[in-house]
Amino acid sequence: MNFQQLRSVRETERCRFNLTEVAAVLHTSQPGVSRQVRELEEELGVELFVRSGKRLLGLTSAGQALMPIIQRVLLDAESLRRAGQELQGREEGRLSIAATHSQARYALPHVVRDFRQRYPRVTLHLHQGSPKQVAEMLLAGDADIGVATEALAGYEQLVTLPCYRWSHSIVVPPGHPLLSLPQPVTLQDLVAFPIITYEVGYTGRSHIDDAFAQAGLLPDVVLTAMDADVIKTYVELEMGVGIVASIAMDEERDGHLRAIDAGHLFQINLTRLGLRRNHWLPGFAYGFIESFVPTLTREAVMQVQEAA
């Protein structure tokens, strides 16, 4: 049994059983991948994949049972290699961050800039996705650190730490009727206009839906998007009233729009940082975390990891 066999099996599942793609990822040949898979199956005494001729269709029950072990072995091997680098005093390597679009666009840029200045020999990879995709990237070992609002706390295999709280803002063009109301905007005021906001599962959308539902109101959501910049673009075209994360509004950059605080309308959101349980992180990863949330020092994060 060797690591190349394990990688061949892991990548076969990741590439949806397309051996041509697996060969490209592993920089080898398709027959080489097939041979590595077969040799591991022979050593284990079970078939890991359902086959139709030479095609692989999916995982067998044995494959489903063993795949988490294979992934864990490979992740532990990578942790061992990175630990050796750190013990040699080498602040180099790679760090993968998975974040939602809003976090990557508005919360992380300064953190990434400062990290690159502090650790110039570390290659930083920034992946974007939905909160669910962020969690899946962490679990698959494709990301070391995850940053998202929703979903991360729902995975037992992850350790999550609170980062910061934020609210939503209502976005309208200058001169919009909502700007001239004598009292704070209400949900009843909002439902009088078409709504443009985030897709379901993104950036606190569930809190927006919950607020309207609890008030017995049905908003006219005419457009949804993953990114606040897209939402603001269509608000500027006067297609509707936008609801975005407050961190997505910048007075200088968005001078052609007006923001109304909606903290009194929708539940406050909590951005979380996620890590895999029992996963070794290099020292520079803790540096990134502390740059993002100064209270999350290496000692504080390790204490939470050990308690989990």
Side-chain angles (χ1 to χ4, degrees):
M1 186 182 303
N2 59 58
F3 286 118
Q4 189 62 19
Q5 293 169 349
L6 299 177
R7 293 189 189 97
S8 295
V9 170
R10 180 185 65 180
E11 295 305 327
T12 297
E13 184 195 28
R14 286 184 172 183
C15 295
R16 299 181 182 274
F17 316 105
N18 185 323
L19 295 186
T20 301
E21 292 185 15
V22 177
V25 169
L26 297 179
H27 306 290
T28 186
S29 65
Q30 184 173 332
V33 172
S34 298
R35 184 179 68 256
Q36 296 286 352
V37 170
R38 275 297 189 189
E39 288 176 354
L40 182 60
E41 288 179 322
E42 289 172 4
E43 184 162 353
L44 294 174
V46 294
E47 289 196 349
L48 300 174
F49 298 102
V50 177
R51 290 174 169 83
S52 175
K54 294 184 178 181
R55 294 177 58 226
L56 303 184
L57 305 180
L59 289 172
T60 63
S61 57
Q64 293 173 2
L66 295 177
M67 188 61 72
I69 301 175
I70 292 171
Q71 292 174 336
R72 189 162 59 247
V73 168
L74 290 171
L75 290 174
D76 287 345
E78 174 63 14
S79 293
L80 183 61
R81 184 187 66 80
R82 296 169 81 175
Q85 289 181 334
E86 183 170 10
L87 291 172
Q88 295 175 45
R90 295 161 55 189
E91 290 186 337
E92 61 183 49
R94 59 174 286 160
L95 182 66
S96 294
I97 310 297
T100 58
H101 294 264
S102 292
Q103 302 299 328
R105 174 67 178 83
Y106 302 106
L108 292 179
H110 293 297
V111 181
V112 170
R113 181 199 60 194
D114 294 345
F115 179 85
R116 289 290 301 132
Q117 293 175 349
R118 183 177 177 185
Y119 301 100
R121 298 174 65 185
V122 176
T123 302
L124 194 61
H125 297 265
L126 184 59
H127 308 279
Q128 296 183 53
S130 68
K132 182 175 183 291
Q133 289 170 330
V134 169
E136 290 173 346
M137 282 187 271
L138 283 170
L139 295 175
D142 295 327
D144 301 299
I145 299 170
V147 183
T149 301
E150 302 171 6
L152 290 186
Y155 291 81
E156 293 183 0
Q157 308 96 312
L158 300 179
V159 175
T160 63
L161 303 100
C163 295
Y164 65 92
R165 298 178 181 276
W166 55 271
S167 61
H168 285 98
S169 290
I170 299 163
V171 186
V172 295
H176 193 277
L178 289 178
L179 294 170
S180 57
L181 294 176
Q183 74 285 327
V185 174
T186 66
L187 293 175
Q188 287 78 7
D189 294 326
L190 272 182
V191 294
F193 301 94
I195 301 293
I196 305 172
T197 191
Y198 298 103
E199 290 186 9
V200 174
Y202 284 80
T203 321
R205 170 65 190 272
S206 61
H207 292 165
I208 296 172
D209 292 341
D210 289 345
F212 282 113
Q214 290 171 12
L217 300 172
L218 184 62
D220 180 20
V221 179
V222 296
L223 182 67
T224 62
M226 295 183 292
D227 191 285
D229 285 341
V230 174
I231 295 171
K232 289 184 287 185
T233 295
Y234 288 96
V235 171
E236 188 177 1
L237 294 175
E238 300 187 2
M239 289 183 57
V241 171
I243 303 176
V244 302
S246 55
I247 59 171
M249 290 300 298
D250 182 275
E251 290 185 5
E252 183 176 342
R253 186 181 62 241
D254 299 316
H256 53 291
L257 294 171
R258 301 292 180 267
I260 304 170
D261 179 55
H264 62 294
L265 298 179
F266 309 114
Q267 183 178 334
I268 298 299
N269 301 273
L270 177 63
T271 290
R272 295 178 179 273
L273 184 144
L275 308 168
R276 290 193 305 280
R277 291 184 185 274
N278 304 314
H279 176 59
W280 186 90
L281 288 173
F284 53 74
Y286 293 103
F288 183 94
I289 294 171
E290 188 171 356
S291 179
F292 183 39
V293 187
T295 56
L296 294 181
T297 62
R298 179 169 186 161
E299 293 72 21
V301 174
M302 292 184 70
Q303 185 176 5
V304 173
Q305 287 178 302
E306 292 170 1

